[in-house]
Amino acid sequence: MQREVGTLPLAPALRARLAAAGFQTAQELLDTGPCGLSKEIGISREEALEALQVVRQECQGDTARTAGGSGATRKCTALELLEEEQTQGFIITFCSALDNILGGGVQLTKITEICGAPGVGKTQLCMQLAVDVQIPECFGGVAGEAVFIDTEGSFMVDRVVDIAAACVQHCHLIAEAQQEEDHGKALETFSVENILSHIYCFRCRDYTELLAQVYLLPEFLAEHSKVRLVVIDGIAFPFRHDFEDLALRTRLLNGLAQQLIITANEHRAAVVLTNQMTTRIGQSQSTLVPALGESWGHAATVRLIFHWDNTQRLATLYKSPSQKESTIAYEITPHGFRDVQPPAGPASTGGTEPNPRKRPRTEEEKQQ
């Protein structure tokens, strides 16, 4: 990244400030970071972030052109694309109904956005996926690792332990039923402790930290090549506060989306984002819609909307390039994200579940 500052597509006044401050190459700017750059040349953090986004994108383009020579643009046929799609794996959710409407699970190389009101289960699914991505290949998993970027403080390690323990137990039951040699070998290293050690957590408290973390992800993933899942929980929270310039917010979000698309494709990873809901006021009625506006809706390949029907949780596949719009029911159990189970039997007379510790009365005792 030895490109000179004077050749970057920045405003002339900004290039003059950079030159006056002694910056000569693009790499020097990237090494300084947004906070340092804003102090060095006397601009706001938002302006520094936007400038660094341009610099990084230009440097990535230069790298691609250098690697590819005159034919840097990759050419392929539709058949080759189809074959690539068919070889991409899925991360199962442990909810077969949701896996079915997604076409097999959360697909690698794609961005999946999960929208919903607080408490509906968005973070629960993200923690479930962070565990499920590590399921060994012999059990139908992708044997990967996970990056979990938490912006709301919702990541609960105790809950991940419960989900991981249930997943390990499930794989042990499969191994006992099928008695295959590779299952036993895989389970030697598939434990709760091993699962927790391969979930890399980052806490971002504002949009500056989030943008910096996303732009540093390629370097981290280069060192951790087994990462197959990147979670950002949630994408909207840092951008819904202290932002007066909405045009700048849109530009930063578009740059963030572009970086996530590049990350998903180059590192063969699934990117999962959670988003909040906001109220849109219409002429006759108001409706709940995903936050960050309509332009952000183009960022994700797949969009799920979680919502309530009385006390029942529902998931609607709202956007997908290959699957039809569908709605399924799901539930959050002590073991994690699961299908809704049918009632075990007729309800008892008092409308309460029978006590498992109490001995049922015999017919003779009932007649006395």
Side-chain angles (χ1 to χ4, degrees), residues 111 113 253 257-258 261 273 294-302 319:
I111 297 181
E113 183 184 26
L253 282 169
Q258 185 178 7
I261 292 171
L273 317 172
E294 293 184 1
S295 61
W296 173 254
H298 300 287
T301 312
V302 176
K319 174 188 174 185

Side-chain angles (χ1 to χ4, degrees), residues 92-96 99 128 131-132 135-136 138-141 162-178 183 187 190 192 195 335 337-339 341:
I92 64 170
T93 66
F94 265 83
C95 175
S96 59
D99 289 339
Q128 182 75 59
V131 171
D132 296 348
I135 295 175
C138 59
F139 289 100
D162 294 339
I163 295 172
C167 182
V168 171
Q169 183 183 16
H170 180 78
C171 290
H172 274 282
L173 292 174
I174 293 175
E176 291 175 5
Q178 298 183 359
H183 286 173
L187 289 175
F190 190 62
V192 173
I195 290 173
H335 300 302
F337 199 91
R338 294 293 189 272
D339 288 287
Q341 297 297 324

Side-chain angles (χ1 to χ4, degrees), residues 129-136 143-146 190 194-196 198-199:
L129 292 171
V131 171
D132 296 348
V133 71
Q134 303 183 51
I135 295 175
E145 299 174 353
F190 190 62
N194 194 55
I195 290 173
L196 295 178
H198 291 101
I199 300 176

